[in-house]
Amino acid sequence: MAVSVPENQKIEVILETNFNAAFANVAEALKPTLHEWIDKPQEVIRFVPDEAAYFKWRAERRMTIGELEKHEWTKGDDFIVDFGGHRVGYLSFHLGAVGVNIDAPCRLRLVFGEVPTDVAEDLHPCNTWISTSWLPDETINVDWLPTDVSLPRRYSFRYVRIQVLDNGPKFRVTFSRLRATAVSAVDPFVPVPTFPLADAQLRAIDAAAMHTLRDCMQSVFEDGPRRDRRLWLGDLRLQALTNHATFAHFALVKRCLYLFAAVPRTNASLPACVYNFPTLRGASDYIVDYDALFGVTLAEYVAASGDLETGRALWETALGSMRGPLAHIDPDTQRFVGARTSAWKFCDWAEELHTDASMHGVILLACKKLNALAAQLFPDAPAPFAGDVARMTAGAAGFLREEEGQEPLFVSGPDAQVSWASAAWLSLSGAFPATLAKRALLAALAHPTAVRPLTPYCFHHVAEALAVVGAERECVALVREYWGGMLAAGADTFWECFDPLDARRSPYGDCHNNSYCHAWSCTPSYLLRVVLRDWFEKEGMTLR
Amino acid sequence: MAVSVPENQKIEVILETNFNAAFANVAEALKPTLHEWIDKPQEVIRFVPDEAAYFKWRAERRMTIGELEKHEWTKGDDFIVDFGGHRVGYLSFHLGAVGVNIDAPCRLRLVFGEVPTDVAEDLHPCNTWISTSWLPDETINVDWLPTDVSLPRRYSFRYVRIQVLDNGPKFRVTFSRLRATAVSAVDPFVPVPTFPLADAQLRAIDAAAMHTLRDCMQSVFEDGPRRDRRLWLGDLRLQALTNHATFAHFALVKRCLYLFAAVPRTNASLPACVYNFPTLRGASDYIVDYDALFGVTLAEYVAASGDLETGRALWETALGSMRGPLAHIDPDTQRFVGARTSAWKFCDWAEELHTDASMHGVILLACKKLNALAAQLFPDAPAPFAGDVARMTAGAAGFLREEEGQEPLFVSGPDAQVSWASAAWLSLSGAFPATLAKRALLAALAHPTAVRPLTPYCFHHVAEALAVVGAERECVALVREYWGGMLAAGADTFWECFDPLDARRSPYGDCHNNSYCHAWSCTPSYLLRVVLRDWFEKEGMTLR
């Protein structure tokens, strides 16, 4: 039952999959029926330049939808409709024609926007190192007007820009019955338990976080319904945590756990992401911390759902997923040493981040979560990772720097790099007393040259760590500043990345390829509803 | 039963339709089931510049289809497949993917080419005064690879250019099972009666003419399956004549006659074209000569098919369609005077053409054809247009110029314009003895400043007129030169327009919006099989 880690053995990324058809069948049987609902656009808008706005564009009403339905358009015209909020789904409309002869096809370009820059600016050319095939624009030709038009692809959008590239000189076109058929594994009409928080900003953050999660919950927990659109392990863990506290769609979490378990590598490691269209397969991407987060996700799922059967079924998978991560623990120092393999250690997109300390925290946390799961599943057996927890707790001391007259700091690497990520994960790992961890974490956050997080994924772990070590007030302040900052910038759903000072910042070279409804941003609902719940009550911030 | 023409009354174009639901229902019931067949591409080619080629491009083999199916393509790549000949139909293929992660959609551009310039050059920007929505290119996004791709729209093509606009950096794409599902109202596997002509060039012209007609025979006789794609009256007449001599698909001709008869204007005139998608309606276009050609088409249909019932059912429609044309006959001179109305007199796209003489010929021919039809339908009644034929035959003399020591000429307008069109239509009308008409027609063809035809539609009438007046040898020479010229330039099917000296000539400003399978070009099969048949036998040019 205990995982045996071949010490001193370098592991490298292995691509061959031990496909587990039984697990794949379980996942397939759990495929959710998607809920569909119809949304109507709110108004026709235009974006005008505005230096004061985060995206440098301000929406102005151009006409009502009633006026739109009477308006006639021709070659060169375009307009933007605002659906008033973000959704994932399909677009349809009636394309009418007015004129003596409707004697040519109509060529339209449609751009689906999550944020103003998507539709107020040209998407092409796009200076991005990932594929421009992700850009949300379509050119369509409609042969016979008038007709109903339904676009077959799914989009992620609040705005739709429609350009009439050409019609014919003898007629003009009209647009009516514009409809979005939104889809989600979550029924939007089933109310979510409301956490009775009095604070208006935190209530709005909670609502946007749930909106983000709902729009990412499709046939799997997608990381971003606009781009990527697939299941990543680290992202799944954060979505599952938030789902447990909100929609409680346990079947979807179970399905996703089985999807990963169906495609282990021959060395028992799990791919960082799986593709489930057109057929199930694991990606070539392998991320050490994501591998370790499988067991964490499984343990948290079993704890939330009480589904011990799934816990037992996937136990061996969880054990296998720890082999690769634990192989990075140096047998002499008992510390994580990234250089032991060439595998990807993610933790954040911040390029300069030294990840050894963070990774040590992730893996130690995973060992503890699996011990807790084992106690539920096999109450009479000894804790399988007891030895690992002990040695890694001891080894963690190597990441702590305490100097006379200074606050303690968690450091990583030969240059003793201070980062928010290292401090967050070592705090979350519980390797240190909370009072010490709190001091070290706050010291990292106040440190002038500390490496700051780039992604909401990393910001989440910092926020949760703050709450865990007793710095709830600072946690709430971070939630207000970071996720509240996105809301203030106009977000309907939380984003893949957020730089308060630069709306054009992108991990991909061009912000037009960013995703603005991204699952790893959805955790404020988990933080507010679970992690901070007792503290809010103590502070008298709850209603009732 | 005789048509009463309000003399001295100017008529103008009337748009209101007296919709005839009973006729529309007859047409609907005659809607053909389209035959479908699968064509495979022959090879992958590239076009290289070649000043000696008509289109200035020469095809070279790039790879076999077997090699294509193994080839991997990525962003920026493109290739052209050659299906070896023209067809109208649908494209499908299997889009494969090879790589460690197939982690992005694939964006493709597809261009459907009838001729080399369509795929060897960029279609955009297109300097055309008709709609660029006719251009045969599509941009599609395919979400999940590998997958089968079927384009839902119909195209008219021999070549398909496929450009990989973007895929993803971690995979390459493959193309296999490229298939065209061709469609036509004509079953391509039912053999057409072979006219036993020995001459190889004329046999090739006949085959291309039938190919042209077949690809235009869809749910109606389309004028061009690439662009316009609808039923025009003057074009229908030429297609019907050729159809009677080849495929003998009489039901489709009957359907098209009923479609026109279903949408007469309130003044009994017929629209020049009808749209039958999404619902039946007449176009706003009104062409005087096309109106007069309805009765001609009906008469020729009844003569070929023996379907007297349709002749009787549409007799009143035919009478009505003569009112507008005959209202142009000046009661004093008994000659056609175009200035009596603002209505469009077509005859040809040659802009400088003065059409009065041609129109006089069209209408006189129509009167005679309707008299002949009446004799079949109502053998005991007097010829309904006997008076019109008499007065217009007399009036036709006003278009003849005979000068001492010179060949006779047909002239039109105040400047006594000489044109091939005037000479052709007055010859076809039979207003003059054949010997005189032959001299005048040949004189026009030899005349240094005569207005020459721009369209195959007009060239047809010149060719037929030559045969009718006894200049069969010159008719055959014209067929060889004009339609044979298109074959020599690389045509699979005959074109909308053809200038032997300028491949870029276009009625629409840009040759990329030309149509290269155009119904009014299909008449050589009619000329060779019907009009010239006896002469070929007499000349010993037939086999057997």
Side-chain angles (χ1 to χ4, degrees), chain A residues 101-103 105 107 131-135 137-138 141 143 153 166-167 170 230 275 284-285, chain B residues 101 103 105 107 131-135 137-138 141 143 145 153 166-167 170 230 275 281 284-285:
Chain A
N101 283 330
I102 302 148
D103 59 353
R107 184 172 289 207
S131 182
T132 57
S133 59
W134 288 116
L135 291 174
D137 65 313
E138 297 282 351
N141 295 295
D143 280 321
R153 297 177 79 213
D166 211 342
N167 40 331
K170 295 188 178 175
R230 62 183 64 94
Y275 306 102
S284 72
D285 303 289
Chain B
N101 283 330
D103 59 353
R107 184 171 289 206
S131 181
T132 57
S133 58
W134 289 116
L135 292 174
D137 65 314
E138 298 282 351
N141 295 295
D143 280 319
L145 277 66
R153 298 177 78 213
D166 211 341
N167 41 331
K170 294 188 178 174
R230 62 182 64 94
Y275 305 102
R281 63 197 191 287
S284 72
D285 302 290

CSV table of all heavy atoms in Angstrom, one decimal, chain A residues 101-103 105 107 131-135 137-138 141 143 153 166-167 170 230 275 284-285, chain B residues 101 103 105 107 131-135 137-138 141 143 145 153 166-167 170 230 275 281 284-285:
chain,number,residue,atom,x,y,z
A,101,ASN,N,-33.6,42.8,-55.4
A,101,ASN,CA,-33.1,41.5,-55.7
A,101,ASN,C,-32.2,41.0,-54.6
A,101,ASN,O,-31.2,41.7,-54.4
A,101,ASN,CB,-32.4,41.4,-57.0
A,101,ASN,CG,-33.4,41.5,-58.2
A,101,ASN,OD1,-34.5,41.0,-58.1
A,101,ASN,ND2,-32.9,42.1,-59.3
A,102,ILE,N,-32.5,39.9,-54.1
A,102,ILE,CA,-31.6,39.3,-53.1
A,102,ILE,C,-30.8,38.2,-53.9
A,102,ILE,O,-31.1,37.1,-53.9
A,102,ILE,CB,-32.4,38.7,-51.9
A,102,ILE,CG1,-33.2,39.8,-51.3
A,102,ILE,CG2,-31.4,38.1,-50.9
A,102,ILE,CD1,-34.5,39.4,-50.7
A,103,ASP,N,-29.8,38.7,-54.6
A,103,ASP,CA,-29.2,38.0,-55.7
A,103,ASP,C,-27.8,37.6,-55.5
A,103,ASP,O,-27.1,37.3,-56.5
A,103,ASP,CB,-29.4,38.8,-57.0
A,103,ASP,CG,-28.7,40.1,-56.9
A,103,ASP,OD1,-28.2,40.5,-55.8
A,103,ASP,OD2,-28.6,40.9,-57.9
A,105,PRO,N,-24.8,35.8,-52.3
A,105,PRO,CA,-24.6,35.3,-51.0
A,105,PRO,C,-24.3,36.5,-50.1
A,105,PRO,O,-24.1,37.6,-50.6
A,105,PRO,CB,-23.5,34.3,-51.1
A,105,PRO,CG,-23.3,34.0,-52.5
A,105,PRO,CD,-23.8,35.2,-53.2
A,107,ARG,N,-21.5,37.5,-47.1
A,107,ARG,CA,-20.3,37.1,-46.4
A,107,ARG,C,-20.2,37.9,-45.2
A,107,ARG,O,-20.1,39.1,-45.2
A,107,ARG,CB,-19.1,37.2,-47.3
A,107,ARG,CG,-17.8,36.7,-46.7
A,107,ARG,CD,-16.6,36.7,-47.7
A,107,ARG,NE,-16.8,35.7,-48.7
A,107,ARG,CZ,-15.8,35.1,-49.4
A,107,ARG,NH1,-14.5,35.5,-49.1
A,107,ARG,NH2,-16.0,34.2,-50.3
A,131,SER,N,-1.1,28.9,-31.1
A,131,SER,CA,-1.8,28.9,-32.4
A,131,SER,C,-2.8,30.1,-32.5
A,131,SER,O,-3.6,30.3,-31.7
A,131,SER,CB,-2.5,27.6,-32.7
A,131,SER,OG,-3.1,27.6,-33.9
A,132,THR,N,-2.8,30.7,-33.7
A,132,THR,CA,-3.8,31.8,-34.0
A,132,THR,C,-5.1,31.1,-34.3
A,132,THR,O,-6.2,31.8,-34.5
A,132,THR,CB,-3.4,32.6,-35.2
A,132,THR,OG1,-3.2,31.8,-36.3
A,132,THR,CG2,-2.2,33.5,-34.8
A,133,SER,N,-5.1,29.8,-34.4
A,133,SER,CA,-6.4,29.1,-34.7
A,133,SER,C,-7.3,29.2,-33.5
A,133,SER,O,-8.5,28.8,-33.6
A,133,SER,CB,-6.2,27.6,-35.1
A,133,SER,OG,-5.5,26.9,-34.0
A,134,TRP,N,-6.8,29.6,-32.3
A,134,TRP,CA,-7.6,29.8,-31.2
A,134,TRP,C,-8.4,31.2,-31.3
A,134,TRP,O,-9.3,31.4,-30.5
A,134,TRP,CB,-6.8,29.9,-29.9
A,134,TRP,CG,-6.2,28.6,-29.5
A,134,TRP,CD1,-4.9,28.2,-29.4
A,134,TRP,CD2,-6.9,27.4,-29.0
A,134,TRP,NE1,-4.8,26.9,-28.9
A,134,TRP,CE2,-6.0,26.4,-28.7
A,134,TRP,CE3,-8.3,27.1,-28.9
A,134,TRP,CZ2,-6.4,25.2,-28.2
A,134,TRP,CZ3,-8.7,25.9,-28.4
A,134,TRP,CH2,-7.7,24.9,-28.1
A,135,LEU,N,-8.0,32.1,-32.1
A,135,LEU,CA,-8.7,33.4,-32.2
A,135,LEU,C,-10.1,33.2,-32.5
A,135,LEU,O,-10.5,32.4,-33.4
A,135,LEU,CB,-8.0,34.3,-33.2
A,135,LEU,CG,-6.6,34.7,-32.8
A,135,LEU,CD1,-5.9,35.5,-33.9
A,135,LEU,CD2,-6.6,35.6,-31.5
A,137,ASP,N,-12.7,34.2,-34.2
A,137,ASP,CA,-13.3,34.9,-35.3
A,137,ASP,C,-13.7,33.8,-36.4
A,137,ASP,O,-13.0,32.8,-36.5
A,137,ASP,CB,-12.5,36.0,-35.9
A,137,ASP,CG,-11.2,35.5,-36.5
A,137,ASP,OD1,-10.5,34.7,-35.9
A,137,ASP,OD2,-10.9,36.0,-37.7
A,138,GLU,N,-14.7,34.1,-37.1
A,138,GLU,CA,-15.2,33.2,-38.2
A,138,GLU,C,-15.6,34.1,-39.4
A,138,GLU,O,-16.1,35.2,-39.2
A,138,GLU,CB,-16.5,32.5,-37.7
A,138,GLU,CG,-16.4,31.6,-36.6
A,138,GLU,CD,-15.7,30.2,-36.9
A,138,GLU,OE1,-15.5,29.9,-38.1
A,138,GLU,OE2,-15.4,29.5,-36.0
A,141,ASN,N,-20.1,32.3,-45.2
A,141,ASN,CA,-20.9,32.7,-46.4
A,141,ASN,C,-22.2,32.1,-46.4
A,141,ASN,O,-22.4,30.9,-46.2
A,141,ASN,CB,-20.1,32.1,-47.7
A,141,ASN,CG,-18.8,32.8,-47.9
A,141,ASN,OD1,-18.7,34.0,-48.1
A,141,ASN,ND2,-17.7,32.0,-47.7
A,143,ASP,N,-25.6,31.4,-48.4
A,143,ASP,CA,-26.0,31.4,-49.8
A,143,ASP,C,-27.4,32.0,-50.1
A,143,ASP,O,-27.5,32.8,-51.0
A,143,ASP,CB,-26.0,30.0,-50.3
A,143,ASP,CG,-24.6,29.5,-50.7
A,143,ASP,OD1,-23.9,30.3,-51.3
A,143,ASP,OD2,-24.3,28.3,-50.4
A,153,ARG,N,-20.0,26.0,-34.2
A,153,ARG,CA,-19.0,25.9,-33.1
A,153,ARG,C,-19.4,26.6,-31.8
A,153,ARG,O,-20.2,27.5,-31.8
A,153,ARG,CB,-17.7,26.6,-33.6
A,153,ARG,CG,-17.1,25.9,-34.8
A,153,ARG,CD,-15.8,26.6,-35.3
A,153,ARG,NE,-14.7,26.3,-34.5
A,153,ARG,CZ,-13.7,27.2,-34.2
A,153,ARG,NH1,-13.8,28.4,-34.6
A,153,ARG,NH2,-12.7,26.8,-33.5
A,166,ASP,N,-19.5,41.5,-47.4
A,166,ASP,CA,-20.1,41.8,-48.7
A,166,ASP,C,-21.5,41.2,-48.7
A,166,ASP,O,-21.7,40.1,-48.1
A,166,ASP,CB,-19.3,41.3,-49.9
A,166,ASP,CG,-19.5,42.3,-51.1
A,166,ASP,OD1,-20.5,43.0,-51.1
A,166,ASP,OD2,-18.6,42.2,-52.0
A,167,ASN,N,-22.4,41.8,-49.4
A,167,ASN,CA,-23.7,41.2,-49.6
A,167,ASN,C,-23.9,41.3,-51.2
A,167,ASN,O,-23.3,40.6,-51.9
A,167,ASN,CB,-24.8,42.0,-48.8
A,167,ASN,CG,-24.6,43.5,-48.8
A,167,ASN,OD1,-23.5,44.0,-48.8
A,167,ASN,ND2,-25.7,44.2,-48.7
A,170,LYS,N,-27.8,45.0,-54.7
A,170,LYS,CA,-29.2,45.2,-54.8
A,170,LYS,C,-30.0,44.9,-53.5
A,170,LYS,O,-31.2,44.9,-53.6
A,170,LYS,CB,-29.7,44.4,-56.0
A,170,LYS,CG,-29.2,44.8,-57.3
A,170,LYS,CD,-29.9,44.1,-58.4
A,170,LYS,CE,-29.3,44.5,-59.8
A,170,LYS,NZ,-29.9,43.8,-60.9
A,230,ARG,N,-9.5,22.4,-22.2
A,230,ARG,CA,-9.4,21.0,-21.8
A,230,ARG,C,-9.0,20.9,-20.3
A,230,ARG,O,-9.0,21.9,-19.6
A,230,ARG,CB,-8.4,20.3,-22.7
A,230,ARG,CG,-7.0,20.8,-22.6
A,230,ARG,CD,-6.1,20.0,-23.6
A,230,ARG,NE,-6.6,20.2,-25.0
A,230,ARG,CZ,-6.1,21.1,-25.8
A,230,ARG,NH1,-5.2,21.9,-25.4
A,230,ARG,NH2,-6.6,21.2,-27.0
A,275,TYR,N,-6.8,15.1,-23.3
A,275,TYR,CA,-7.7,15.5,-24.3
A,275,TYR,C,-8.9,14.5,-24.3
A,275,TYR,O,-8.7,13.3,-24.3
A,275,TYR,CB,-7.0,15.5,-25.7
A,275,TYR,CG,-5.7,16.3,-25.7
A,275,TYR,CD1,-4.5,15.7,-25.6
A,275,TYR,CD2,-5.8,17.7,-25.8
A,275,TYR,CE1,-3.3,16.4,-25.6
A,275,TYR,CE2,-4.6,18.4,-25.7
A,275,TYR,CZ,-3.4,17.8,-25.7
A,275,TYR,OH,-2.2,18.5,-25.6
A,284,SER,N,1.2,15.0,-24.0
A,284,SER,CA,2.7,14.7,-23.8
A,284,SER,C,3.2,15.6,-22.6
A,284,SER,O,4.3,15.3,-22.1
A,284,SER,CB,3.5,15.1,-25.0
A,284,SER,OG,3.5,16.5,-25.2
A,285,ASP,N,2.4,16.6,-22.2
A,285,ASP,CA,2.9,17.4,-21.1
A,285,ASP,C,2.9,16.7,-19.8
A,285,ASP,O,1.9,16.0,-19.5
A,285,ASP,CB,2.0,18.7,-21.0
A,285,ASP,CG,1.9,19.5,-22.2
A,285,ASP,OD1,2.9,20.1,-22.6
A,285,ASP,OD2,0.8,19.4,-22.9
B,101,ASN,N,1.2,16.4,-29.3
B,101,ASN,CA,-0.1,16.9,-28.8
B,101,ASN,C,-0.9,17.6,-29.9
B,101,ASN,O,-0.4,18.5,-30.5
B,101,ASN,CB,0.2,18.0,-27.7
B,101,ASN,CG,0.6,17.3,-26.4
B,101,ASN,OD1,0.2,16.2,-26.1
B,101,ASN,ND2,1.4,18.0,-25.6
B,103,ASP,N,-3.3,19.8,-29.9
B,103,ASP,CA,-3.8,20.6,-28.8
B,103,ASP,C,-4.3,22.0,-29.2
B,103,ASP,O,-4.4,22.9,-28.4
B,103,ASP,CB,-2.7,20.8,-27.8
B,103,ASP,CG,-1.4,21.5,-28.4
B,103,ASP,OD1,-1.4,21.7,-29.6
B,103,ASP,OD2,-0.5,21.9,-27.7
B,105,PRO,N,-7.1,24.0,-32.4
B,105,PRO,CA,-7.9,23.8,-33.7
B,105,PRO,C,-7.0,24.0,-34.9
B,105,PRO,O,-5.8,24.3,-34.8
B,105,PRO,CB,-8.9,24.9,-33.6
B,105,PRO,CG,-8.9,25.4,-32.2
B,105,PRO,CD,-7.5,25.2,-31.7
B,107,ARG,N,-7.0,25.9,-38.6
B,107,ARG,CA,-7.7,26.9,-39.4
B,107,ARG,C,-7.2,26.7,-40.8
B,107,ARG,O,-6.0,26.8,-41.1
B,107,ARG,CB,-7.4,28.3,-38.9
B,107,ARG,CG,-8.1,29.4,-39.7
B,107,ARG,CD,-8.0,30.8,-39.0
B,107,ARG,NE,-8.7,30.9,-37.8
B,107,ARG,CZ,-9.2,32.0,-37.2
B,107,ARG,NH1,-9.0,33.1,-37.9
B,107,ARG,NH2,-9.9,32.0,-36.1
B,131,SER,N,-20.9,41.3,-56.3
B,131,SER,CA,-20.5,41.0,-54.9
B,131,SER,C,-19.3,40.1,-54.8
B,131,SER,O,-19.2,39.1,-55.5
B,131,SER,CB,-21.7,40.4,-54.2
B,131,SER,OG,-21.3,40.1,-52.8
B,132,THR,N,-18.4,40.4,-53.9
B,132,THR,CA,-17.2,39.5,-53.7
B,132,THR,C,-17.7,38.3,-52.9
B,132,THR,O,-16.9,37.4,-52.7
B,132,THR,CB,-16.1,40.2,-52.9
B,132,THR,OG1,-16.6,40.7,-51.7
B,132,THR,CG2,-15.5,41.4,-53.7
B,133,SER,N,-18.9,38.3,-52.4
B,133,SER,CA,-19.4,37.1,-51.7
B,133,SER,C,-19.5,35.9,-52.6
B,133,SER,O,-19.8,34.8,-52.2
B,133,SER,CB,-20.8,37.4,-51.0
B,133,SER,OG,-21.7,37.8,-52.0
B,134,TRP,N,-19.4,36.2,-54.0
B,134,TRP,CA,-19.4,35.1,-54.9
B,134,TRP,C,-18.1,34.4,-55.0
B,134,TRP,O,-17.9,33.3,-55.6
B,134,TRP,CB,-19.8,35.6,-56.3
B,134,TRP,CG,-21.2,36.0,-56.5
B,134,TRP,CD1,-21.6,37.2,-56.8
B,134,TRP,CD2,-22.3,35.1,-56.5
B,134,TRP,NE1,-23.0,37.2,-56.9
B,134,TRP,CE2,-23.5,35.9,-56.7
B,134,TRP,CE3,-22.5,33.8,-56.2
B,134,TRP,CZ2,-24.8,35.4,-56.8
B,134,TRP,CZ3,-23.8,33.3,-56.2
B,134,TRP,CH2,-24.9,34.1,-56.5
B,135,LEU,N,-17.0,35.0,-54.5
B,135,LEU,CA,-15.7,34.4,-54.6
B,135,LEU,C,-15.6,33.1,-53.9
B,135,LEU,O,-16.1,32.9,-52.8
B,135,LEU,CB,-14.6,35.3,-54.1
B,135,LEU,CG,-14.4,36.6,-54.9
B,135,LEU,CD1,-13.5,37.6,-54.2
B,135,LEU,CD2,-13.9,36.3,-56.3
B,137,ASP,N,-14.0,31.1,-52.0
B,137,ASP,CA,-13.1,30.7,-50.9
B,137,ASP,C,-13.8,30.6,-49.6
B,137,ASP,O,-14.7,31.3,-49.3
B,137,ASP,CB,-11.9,31.7,-50.9
B,137,ASP,CG,-12.3,33.1,-50.5
B,137,ASP,OD1,-13.3,33.6,-51.0
B,137,ASP,OD2,-11.7,33.7,-49.6
B,138,GLU,N,-13.2,29.8,-48.7
B,138,GLU,CA,-13.8,29.6,-47.4
B,138,GLU,C,-12.7,29.6,-46.4
B,138,GLU,O,-11.6,29.0,-46.7
B,138,GLU,CB,-14.5,28.2,-47.3
B,138,GLU,CG,-15.7,28.0,-48.1
B,138,GLU,CD,-16.9,28.7,-47.6
B,138,GLU,OE1,-17.0,29.2,-46.5
B,138,GLU,OE2,-17.9,28.7,-48.4
B,141,ASN,N,-12.6,26.6,-39.4
B,141,ASN,CA,-11.8,26.2,-38.1
B,141,ASN,C,-12.3,24.9,-37.7
B,141,ASN,O,-13.5,24.7,-37.6
B,141,ASN,CB,-12.1,27.2,-37.0
B,141,ASN,CG,-11.6,28.6,-37.4
B,141,ASN,OD1,-10.4,28.8,-37.5
B,141,ASN,ND2,-12.5,29.6,-37.5
B,143,ASP,N,-12.2,22.1,-34.8
B,143,ASP,CA,-11.8,22.1,-33.4
B,143,ASP,C,-11.0,20.8,-33.0
B,143,ASP,O,-10.0,21.0,-32.3
B,143,ASP,CB,-13.1,22.2,-32.6
B,143,ASP,CG,-13.6,23.6,-32.4
B,143,ASP,OD1,-12.7,24.5,-32.3
B,143,ASP,OD2,-14.8,23.8,-32.5
B,145,LEU,N,-9.1,17.4,-33.9
B,145,LEU,CA,-8.5,16.5,-34.9
B,145,LEU,C,-8.0,15.2,-34.2
B,145,LEU,O,-7.7,15.2,-33.1
B,145,LEU,CB,-7.2,17.2,-35.5
B,145,LEU,CG,-7.5,18.2,-36.6
B,145,LEU,CD1,-8.3,19.4,-36.1
B,145,LEU,CD2,-6.1,18.7,-37.1
B,153,ARG,N,-21.3,23.8,-48.1
B,153,ARG,CA,-21.8,24.5,-49.3
B,153,ARG,C,-21.4,23.8,-50.6
B,153,ARG,O,-20.4,23.0,-50.6
B,153,ARG,CB,-21.1,25.9,-49.4
B,153,ARG,CG,-21.6,26.8,-48.2
B,153,ARG,CD,-20.8,28.1,-48.3
B,153,ARG,NE,-21.4,29.0,-49.2
B,153,ARG,CZ,-20.8,29.9,-49.9
B,153,ARG,NH1,-19.5,30.0,-49.8
B,153,ARG,NH2,-21.4,30.7,-50.8
B,166,ASP,N,-3.2,28.0,-39.8
B,166,ASP,CA,-2.5,27.7,-38.5
B,166,ASP,C,-3.0,26.4,-38.0
B,166,ASP,O,-4.2,26.0,-38.3
B,166,ASP,CB,-2.8,28.8,-37.5
B,166,ASP,CG,-1.6,29.0,-36.5
B,166,ASP,OD1,-0.7,28.1,-36.5
B,166,ASP,OD2,-1.5,30.0,-35.9
B,167,ASN,N,-2.2,25.7,-37.3
B,167,ASN,CA,-2.5,24.5,-36.6
B,167,ASN,C,-2.1,24.7,-35.2
B,167,ASN,O,-2.7,25.5,-34.5
B,167,ASN,CB,-1.9,23.2,-37.3
B,167,ASN,CG,-0.5,23.4,-37.8
B,167,ASN,OD1,-0.1,24.5,-38.1
B,167,ASN,ND2,0.2,22.3,-37.8
B,170,LYS,N,2.6,21.9,-31.9
B,170,LYS,CA,3.0,20.6,-31.5
B,170,LYS,C,2.5,19.5,-32.4
B,170,LYS,O,2.6,18.3,-32.1
B,170,LYS,CB,2.5,20.3,-30.1
B,170,LYS,CG,3.2,21.2,-29.0
B,170,LYS,CD,2.8,20.8,-27.6
B,170,LYS,CE,3.6,21.7,-26.6
B,170,LYS,NZ,3.1,21.4,-25.3
B,230,ARG,N,-28.6,30.8,-61.0
B,230,ARG,CA,-30.1,30.8,-61.1
B,230,ARG,C,-30.6,30.8,-62.5
B,230,ARG,O,-29.8,30.7,-63.4
B,230,ARG,CB,-30.7,32.0,-60.3
B,230,ARG,CG,-30.3,33.3,-60.8
B,230,ARG,CD,-30.9,34.4,-59.9
B,230,ARG,NE,-30.3,34.3,-58.5
B,230,ARG,CZ,-29.3,35.0,-58.1
B,230,ARG,NH1,-28.7,35.8,-58.9
B,230,ARG,NH2,-28.8,34.9,-56.9
B,275,TYR,N,-35.6,33.5,-58.8
B,275,TYR,CA,-34.9,32.9,-57.7
B,275,TYR,C,-35.7,31.8,-57.1
B,275,TYR,O,-36.9,32.0,-56.9
B,275,TYR,CB,-34.7,33.9,-56.6
B,275,TYR,CG,-34.0,35.2,-57.1
B,275,TYR,CD1,-34.7,36.3,-57.3
B,275,TYR,CD2,-32.6,35.2,-57.3
B,275,TYR,CE1,-34.1,37.5,-57.8
B,275,TYR,CE2,-32.0,36.3,-57.8
B,275,TYR,CZ,-32.7,37.5,-58.0
B,275,TYR,OH,-32.1,38.6,-58.5
B,281,ARG,N,-39.4,33.4,-56.3
B,281,ARG,CA,-39.8,34.8,-56.6
B,281,ARG,C,-39.2,35.3,-57.8
B,281,ARG,O,-38.1,34.8,-58.2
B,281,ARG,CB,-39.5,35.7,-55.4
B,281,ARG,CG,-38.0,35.9,-55.1
B,281,ARG,CD,-37.8,36.5,-53.7
B,281,ARG,NE,-36.4,36.8,-53.5
B,281,ARG,CZ,-35.4,35.9,-53.4
B,281,ARG,NH1,-35.6,34.7,-53.4
B,281,ARG,NH2,-34.2,36.4,-53.2
B,284,SER,N,-36.2,41.5,-60.0
B,284,SER,CA,-36.7,42.8,-60.5
B,284,SER,C,-36.2,43.0,-61.9
B,284,SER,O,-36.7,43.9,-62.6
B,284,SER,CB,-36.1,43.9,-59.6
B,284,SER,OG,-34.8,44.0,-59.8
B,285,ASP,N,-35.2,42.2,-62.4
B,285,ASP,CA,-34.7,42.4,-63.7
B,285,ASP,C,-35.8,42.1,-64.8
B,285,ASP,O,-36.4,41.0,-64.7
B,285,ASP,CB,-33.5,41.5,-64.0
B,285,ASP,CG,-32.4,41.8,-62.9
B,285,ASP,OD1,-31.8,42.8,-63.0
B,285,ASP,OD2,-32.2,40.9,-62.0
